[in-house]
Amino acid sequence: MMPTLLIGDYILVKKFSYSLINPITGSTLYKIGSPKRGDVVVFKYPKNPKLYYVKRIIGLPGDKIKYDANNKRITIQSSCLVHHECCLNNILVTYSSSFPSNFVKMLYPFGKSYYVDFSYDAEIQNFSGIRLMQVNECIGNISYSILMTPGRKDFCCMYYQQYGSLLSEWIVPPGEYFMMGDNRDNSEDSRYIGCIPEKNLVGKVVAVWMSYDRKQTNGFIGIRFDRIGRIY
C-alpha cells in the first residue's frame, strides 16, 4: 500500500465501521455503515481467512471496473446489472502527470526485492535500484497517490476472469467490493483474487499510531515521528 502505508507502520483499524458480524456463522448481525469508495480497509483473504490484507476500495457493488494494463489506468461505470447492461453512469477518474517518488525498489539475487524510502534513509541514494514513479489518482472527489514501477507489466494471464467478462474487466457482484493496492504494480488485489465479500471486511484503517523504519544500510531502527497520528 505504499505510499499510503509503509513497511513498519502500525495501524489503527476500526473493526465496526460497517457491520457487526457473527464470528461463528459470518452473517451480519447489525448494519452500521456502508464501505465507501476510497476507504483503506483490512480484510480476510478469501482462500485463507487467517491471512489479512490491506487494500483500497475502488469498486462498489454494481460497478464495472476496467483496467488498462498498458497505460495503468482504471475506468469505472456504476449501476451495472449482472447481465452487463449499465446505465452509462461513468465515474470521473483522473490522473496527474507522473513524477519520481522517494521509493526505490532494490533487487536481491534470485528475483527477490525490497523497498526503501530515501526520504528517511539518505544514504540509499548511493545505491542502485529502480526508482518508482508516483501519480495522483482521483476518483470523483477522492484523491490519493499511487506508485508505478517503470517498465513493469502486469501478469494479465493471471487475472481473475469472471464468467462472460473480458479479461481486465470486472462487474462487482452484490455485497462485494473491488480492491486495489496503491503500490499498483506490486499488489495482489482484486485483479488477481477477485472481488471481496463484505463479510470478509475486518474494518477501516483510520490512523497510524506508530511507525518504525529499519535502515537497510546499517540496520538501525528509527521512529518516523512525522507519520504518527496520520489520519485516513
Side-chain angles (χ1 to χ4, degrees), residues 105-232:
K105 184 176 183 179
M106 310 297 290
L107 301 177
Y108 278 130
F110 310 110
K112 294 184 178 180
S113 62
Y114 65 92
Y115 296 92
V116 293
D117 181 353
F118 59 70
S119 62
Y120 294 100
D121 191 353
E123 296 178 30
I124 207 66
Q125 298 184 53
N126 298 322
F127 285 62
S128 61
I130 302 174
R131 180 80 171 267
L132 303 188
M133 301 300 291
Q134 189 164 326
V135 175
N136 294 326
E137 183 175 80
C138 298
I139 303 179
N141 60 354
I142 304 164
S143 179
Y144 47 89
S145 293
I146 61 175
L147 296 178
M148 297 183 179
T149 305
R152 173 71 182 268
K153 295 185 180 298
D154 273 9
F155 298 101
C156 297
C157 60
M158 299 177 64
Y159 276 177
Y160 172 79
Q161 186 169 12
Q162 287 180 324
Y163 177 78
S165 294
L166 300 175
L167 193 66
S168 303
E169 178 180 305
W170 305 267
I171 288 185
V172 186
E176 299 188 10
Y177 297 87
F178 193 89
M179 309 287 187
M180 295 186 79
D182 291 350
N183 189 1
R184 196 57 54 84
D185 292 328
N186 300 277
S187 175
E188 184 184 7
D189 50 37
S190 289
R191 290 171 292 177
Y192 300 97
I193 64 177
C195 297
I196 304 301
E198 184 169 354
K199 67 179 183 179
N200 285 59
L201 302 187
V202 175
K204 178 182 176 182
V205 176
V206 295
V208 173
W209 63 268
M210 179 55 71
S211 184
Y212 291 106
D213 178 43
R214 179 185 295 277
K215 298 184 183 298
Q216 298 291 338
T217 51
N218 55 24
F220 173 75
I221 298 178
I223 298 177
R224 305 184 184 104
F225 289 100
D226 62 314
R227 294 191 60 78
I228 297 176
R230 188 165 296 196
I231 305 297
Y232 296 99

Side-chain angles (χ1 to χ4, degrees), residues 34-81:
S34 297
K36 296 179 175 57
R37 204 188 314 276
D39 285 358
V40 178
V41 299
V42 173
F43 61 90
K44 295 179 181 180
Y45 180 48
K47 294 183 179 179
N48 183 358
K50 294 182 179 180
L51 291 179
Y52 291 86
Y53 279 29
V54 56
K55 304 292 179 185
R56 186 181 299 277
I57 295 178
I58 298 295
L60 304 179
D63 285 350
K64 176 186 282 187
I65 309 293
K66 296 181 181 179
Y67 185 69
D68 188 328
N70 292 319
N71 64 20
K72 304 180 182 181
R73 300 290 189 265
I74 60 174
T75 58
I76 305 174
Q77 195 172 2
S78 66
S79 303
C80 298
L81 304 176

